[in-house]
């Protein structure tokens, strides 16, 4: 093992001197000791709090976990996976989670793109607008959930008061099983939009202005500019945003829990997959089936991430 | 009159047209800002209204201004303890993880050793594992091996390293020239000294972005504290705030007051550091 800080300089000397000499040489280097004392805690910490639990999760998913005597938990093979897929709310939660992800995509992306285009074109006050549109992102999600639960109260909420004063029908918002899920995603969108706006705006400002200049010479109108220059060059960033949205939606927990409690909303309409895992693990104390359920989720997210990496190789350059 | 300046004649358009489209953009963005900000403004005033007025009135401003909501909520719920718990956990996680991220970012970008790329890939790949997978084994580790169940320490130690932070700092430190570090070595500076007096001061900007990010994520963290912390006096602000739902069913003025107490410190930090924060997010978007 050689610890050489100056990359680019040939380190051929070490190879000709034999292994022992190389080790001795390495141990004398201050870089080695600095690197070693820094990497060691990293390895220990990651082993205890990250890799260890991941490996343990795989093991735990194959046993009927005994809380008081974990060493003697009987091996059940794929039993936990079968058991969780037969849970009465398993498919409900899968359907809700996919719906959540789809709504999330539909609500977030077009609006975030529109705002990002406007931000990238506006000449004055871009940073101020961006900072203010970003405010909901930094505010505690629990506070946001309570805030919208107040605003959306069907009887006394301000939104229905506003609607009735301009002649629109009053809505049930979070209280009916048909509108609870989309309404919850609207809240999630309001909360998360600023994050994606910032990413998309940064991507758009990164497109060299020469391309737009060339477009203007060719006589493009703003509509063509958007579809022929901005969109193709933004495909990378848009894909990133899509994947972040998908992964985020699949792991949604706080918002539905605070809005509806861990029961899953009217008619289980907002019972998401992570609520199932949480309920299984910490309310019903079935650790084996809970980890099995979480591994399904892991497989799904892994597939998406691999697809992203495969798709993310851009076929063009500026 | 639109400024055309250095971009040359290709950008030139009839100035009037530009003015109109610019004002449309301004109006649209202003509308979006109102949508983003207005609910908070409503909440500020809602927390200062008595219950009856809150549910009946359509006015934004209170007719009777009152601080009784805050008085009552601070009397009934131990917000001071929750506040202290949140501060202790979020600050310690932020300080430690920004430090570890910087050190590891430095080592991963400027050192060469066998297995570096593999180690870096493994560290990053833990980001892909959903939290649901490790929450049960992690809880068992925390509770059984460390005895930190229902202890603030349980949510602190798990935050000491962040793969995202290591990634962010490495991306930045790639841009520090090797020559600078070598020059310091030739001058006889120790590795520690190079790191603390040369590399760290140069990295203040991404470090502050990361610090704000880590702080807010931890301040807002819900699921993991929900699992680890069970007794009332150990809970952090988001848990206590979520508990208001059960304590005061539809006492909205209490919800508003509680939310204000939770949101205020975050707003304060954001108003000071919003620039760093947004720059940090934009940077990850461009580099990912």
């Amino acid at each position: 093992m050689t610890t050489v800080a100056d990359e680019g300089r040939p380190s051929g000397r070490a190879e000709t001197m034999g292994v022992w000499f190389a080790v001795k040489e390495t141990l004398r280097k201050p870089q080695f000791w600095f690197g070693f004392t820094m990497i060691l805690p990293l390895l220990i910490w990651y082993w205890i709090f990250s890799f260890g639990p991941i490996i343990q999760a795989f093991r735990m998913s194959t046993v009927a976990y005994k809380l008081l005597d974990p060493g003697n938990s009987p091996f059940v093979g794929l039993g936990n996976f079968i058991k969780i897929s037969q849970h009465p709310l398993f498919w409900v939660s899968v359907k809700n989670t996919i719906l959540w992800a789809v709504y999330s995509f539909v609500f977030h992306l077009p609006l975030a793109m529109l705002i990002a285009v406007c931000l990238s074109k506006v000449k004055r006050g871009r940073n101020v607008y961006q900072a203010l549109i970003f405010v909901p992102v930094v505010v505690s999600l629990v506070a946001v959930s309570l805030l919208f639960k107040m605003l959306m109260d069907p009887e006394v909420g301000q939104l229905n008061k506003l609607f009735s004063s301009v002649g629109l029908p009053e809505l049930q918002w979070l209280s009916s099983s048909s509108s609870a899920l989309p309404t919850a995603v609207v809240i999630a969108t309001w909360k998360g939009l600023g994050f994606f706006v910032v990413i998309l705006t940064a991507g758009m400002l990164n497109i060299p202005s020469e391309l737009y200049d060339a477009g203007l010479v060719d006589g493009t109108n703003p509509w063509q500019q958007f579809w022929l220059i901005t969109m193709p060059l933004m495909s990378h960033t848009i894909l990133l945003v899509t994947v972040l949205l998908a992964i985020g939606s699949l792991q949604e927990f706080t918002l539905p829990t605070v809005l509806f409690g861990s029961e899953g909303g009217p008619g289980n309409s907002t019972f998401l997959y992570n609520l199932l895992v949480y309920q299984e693990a910490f309310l019903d104390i079935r650790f084996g089936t809970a980890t099995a359920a979480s591994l399904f989720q892991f497989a799904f997210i892994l597939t998406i991430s691999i697809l992203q990496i495969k798709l993310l190789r851009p076929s063009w350059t500026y | 009159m639109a400024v055309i300046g250095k971009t040359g004649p290709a950008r030139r358009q009839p100035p009037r047209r530009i003015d109109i489209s610019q004002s449309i953009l301004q109006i649209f963005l202003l509308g979006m800002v109102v949508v983003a900000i207005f609910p908070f403004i409503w909440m500020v005033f809602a927390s200062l209204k008595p219950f009856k007025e809150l549910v009946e009135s359509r006015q934004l401003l209170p007719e009777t201004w009152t601080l009784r909501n805050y008085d009552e909520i601070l009397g009934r719920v131990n917000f001071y303890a929750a506040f202290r718990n949140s501060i202790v956990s979020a600050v310690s996680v932020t300080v430690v993880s920004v430090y570890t991220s910087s050190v590891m970012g430095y080592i991963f970008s400027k050192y060469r050793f066998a297995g570096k790329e593999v180690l870096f890939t493994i560290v990053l790949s833990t980001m892909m594992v959903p939290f649901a997978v490790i929450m049960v084994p992690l809880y068992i580790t925390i509770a059984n091996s460390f005895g930190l169940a229902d202890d603030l320490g349980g949510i602190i130690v798990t935050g000491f390293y962040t793969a995202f932070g290591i990634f962010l700092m490495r991306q930045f430190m790639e841009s520090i020239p090797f020559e600078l570090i070598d020059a310091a070595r030739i001058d006889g500076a120790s590795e520690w000294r190079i790191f603390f007096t040369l590399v760290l001061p140069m990295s203040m900007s991404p470090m502050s972005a990361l610090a704000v990010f880590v702080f807010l994520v931890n301040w807002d963290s819900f699921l993991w504290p929900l699992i680890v912390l069970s007794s009332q006096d150990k809970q952090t602000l988001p848990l206590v705030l979520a508990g208001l739902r059960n304590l005061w069913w539809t006492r909205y003025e209490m919800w508003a007051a509680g939310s204000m107490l939770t949101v205020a410190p975050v707003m304060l930090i954001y108003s000071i550091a919003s620039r760093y924060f947004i720059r940090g997010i934009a940077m990850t978007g461009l580099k990912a």
Side-chain angles (χ1 to χ4, degrees):
Chain A
M1 181 163 140
T2 51
T3 312
V4 185
D6 41 0
E7 204 157 11
R9 201 172 295 173
S11 61
R13 215 155 60 91
E15 271 133 44
T16 57
M17 285 189 293
V19 180
W20 175 238
F21 214 79
V23 168
K24 254 172 79 180
E25 183 86 332
T26 306
L27 287 178
R28 282 220 324 265
K29 277 185 195 294
Q31 289 97 307
F32 170 79
W33 290 109
F34 181 76
F36 185 75
T37 48
M38 289 303 164
I39 290 174
L40 196 66
L42 172 93
L43 289 178
I44 295 171
W45 186 91
Y46 259 85
W47 180 253
I48 298 174
F49 296 111
S50 193
F51 311 143
I54 293 171
I55 294 165
Q56 225 184 324
F58 279 96
R59 210 178 48 99
M60 209 180 257
S61 68
T62 61
V63 298
Y65 195 83
K66 280 189 182 164
L67 203 59
L68 297 176
D69 187 13
N72 283 332
S73 307
F75 181 79
V76 291
L78 292 176
N80 285 330
F81 292 90
I82 296 165
K83 211 163 139 196
I84 192 67
S85 64
Q86 287 163 347
H87 189 287
L89 288 175
F90 179 81
W91 291 108
V92 175
S93 70
V94 170
K95 191 198 82 185
N96 288 339
T97 308
I98 292 172
L99 259 181
W100 185 292
V102 171
Y103 276 125
S104 188
F105 179 79
V106 172
F107 293 167
H108 270 100
L109 198 62
L111 193 55
M113 275 303 275
L114 181 64
I115 297 175
V117 169
C118 292
L119 278 174
S120 68
K121 297 273 180 248
V122 81
K123 292 203 175 81
R124 297 170 125 239
R126 178 188 300 138
N127 291 338
V128 177
Y129 285 131
Q130 211 171 25
L132 289 173
I133 289 172
F134 198 76
V135 166
V137 180
V138 299
V139 169
S140 167
L141 185 52
V142 177
V144 167
S145 315
L146 291 182
L147 171 59
F148 275 87
K149 219 170 142 57
M150 290 187 253
L151 291 170
M152 289 173 164
D153 186 301
E155 267 108 54
V156 299
Q158 295 297 313
L159 266 176
N160 269 354
K161 283 181 186 154
L162 185 76
F163 270 40
S164 67
S165 66
V166 294
L168 288 164
E170 299 195 353
L171 299 175
Q172 284 298 304
W173 303 110
L174 297 160
S175 307
S176 96
S177 59
S178 58
S179 62
L181 182 90
T183 309
V185 183
V186 167
I187 301 172
T189 308
W190 180 84
K191 162 98 170 100
L193 198 67
F195 180 84
F196 299 104
V197 167
V198 168
I199 290 184
L200 290 169
T201 311
M204 284 182 193
L205 292 175
N206 211 26
I207 297 175
S209 62
E210 290 81 21
L211 293 171
Y212 290 105
D213 293 344
L216 276 179
V217 172
D218 291 343
T220 51
N221 61 38
W223 188 247
Q224 287 169 323
Q225 261 182 34
F226 178 74
W227 286 107
L228 299 176
I229 302 172
T230 311
M231 275 306 265
L233 292 176
M234 286 294 289
S235 55
H236 187 123
T237 318
I238 291 173
L239 189 64
L240 173 77
V241 166
T242 309
V243 170
L244 287 179
L245 271 173
I247 292 177
S249 313
L250 294 174
Q251 299 194 57
E252 193 65 57
F253 177 82
T254 309
L255 190 58
T257 309
V258 179
L259 286 176
F260 306 106
S262 50
E263 307 88 32
N268 287 323
S269 57
T270 58
F271 191 81
L272 300 187
Y273 197 77
N274 254 9
L275 268 77
L276 177 81
V277 180
Y278 178 79
Q279 207 176 65
E280 199 67 16
F282 295 106
L283 300 179
D284 298 340
I285 321 284
R286 287 191 286 262
F287 286 172
T289 42
T291 25
S294 70
L295 287 176
F296 277 136
Q297 190 188 31
F298 183 27
F300 203 77
I301 288 179
L302 202 62
T303 318
I304 293 178
S305 308
I306 290 169
L307 275 178
Q308 176 209 15
I309 292 164
K310 288 242 174 325
L311 289 171
L312 265 185
R313 303 197 187 260
S315 49
W316 40 263
T317 115
Y318 295 137
Chain B
M1 171 66 193
V3 183
I4 288 155
K6 292 178 203 154
T7 47
R11 273 271 162 100
R12 200 182 298 271
Q13 279 184 344
R16 223 195 132 121
R17 207 182 107 74
I18 289 180
D19 274 352
I20 290 172
S21 62
Q22 280 292 313
S23 10
I24 293 172
L25 289 180
Q26 298 278 352
I27 290 166
F28 173 76
L29 289 170
L30 216 58
M32 287 295 122
V33 168
V34 169
V35 171
I37 301 295
F38 190 74
F40 293 120
I41 296 172
W42 180 82
M43 190 168 77
V44 173
F45 293 122
S47 73
L48 299 169
K49 289 175 186 171
F51 176 70
K52 200 162 158 15
E53 198 192 323
L54 175 66
V55 295
E56 281 169 6
S57 151
R58 291 175 190 220
Q59 304 289 321
L60 175 65
L61 294 174
E63 278 161 38
T64 32
W65 297 73
T66 173
L67 283 170
R68 282 195 49 199
N69 302 332
Y70 289 95
D71 209 36
E72 189 178 346
I73 205 167
L74 290 172
R76 282 284 300 277
V77 182
N78 201 345
F79 258 92
Y80 299 111
F83 195 81
R84 197 192 55 225
N85 293 339
S86 276
I87 287 276
V88 167
S89 61
V91 168
S92 35
V93 168
T94 305
V95 169
V96 176
S97 75
V98 167
Y99 168 71
T100 56
S101 299
S102 315
V103 177
M104 293 322 297
Y106 175 57
I107 287 174
F108 277 126
S109 73
K110 289 286 172 277
Y111 277 40
R112 262 187 0 181
F113 54 91
K116 184 178 93 166
E117 291 306 316
V118 178
L119 186 62
F120 186 64
T121 314
I122 293 176
V123 167
L124 276 199
S125 65
T126 57
M127 278 206 291
M128 264 189 238
V129 181
F131 182 68
V133 171
I134 63 164
M135 70 183 183
V136 173
L138 195 60
Y139 178 70
I140 292 173
T141 308
I142 289 290
N144 293 355
S145 318
F146 290 84
L148 289 174
D150 198 21
D151 192 312
L152 218 50
I155 61 170
I156 294 175
V157 289
T158 50
F160 279 175
Y161 286 88
T162 78
F164 169 76
I166 295 174
F167 171 75
L168 186 79
M169 292 312 293
R170 191 191 83 137
Q171 293 298 85
F172 172 78
M173 297 212 176
E174 293 280 353
S175 65
I176 296 178
F178 281 102
E179 288 78 9
L180 209 64
I181 295 162
D182 281 344
R185 282 198 184 116
I186 290 164
D187 288 347
S190 72
E191 292 300 306
W192 294 89
R193 190 151 167 223
I194 293 172
F195 179 71
F196 282 107
T197 62
L198 186 69
V199 177
L200 273 196
M202 287 176 77
S203 321
M204 283 324 269
S205 158
M207 273 169 70
S208 18
L210 181 65
V212 179
F213 185 83
V214 172
F215 180 85
L216 290 179
V217 166
N218 280 283
W219 187 262
D220 204 15
S221 167
F222 184 73
L223 177 54
W224 182 233
L226 180 70
I227 294 168
V228 175
L229 307 170
S230 46
S231 47
Q232 281 279 323
D233 59 321
K234 300 231 168 101
Q235 292 188 333
T236 53
L237 273 174
L239 296 180
V240 169
L241 189 60
L244 294 186
R245 266 181 86 249
N246 307 323
L247 190 59
W248 282 300
W249 193 248
T250 70
R251 286 276 312 267
Y252 291 158
E253 83 284 20
M254 289 297 160
W255 293 15
S259 301
M260 282 306 299
L261 291 174
T262 313
V263 164
V266 170
M267 284 300 195
L268 193 71
I269 292 178
Y270 182 69
S271 61
I272 299 165
S274 65
R275 209 148 37 95
Y276 294 112
F277 196 61
I278 287 178
R279 200 184 296 153
I281 301 281
M283 206 157 82
T284 41
L286 288 180
K287 294 208 165 134

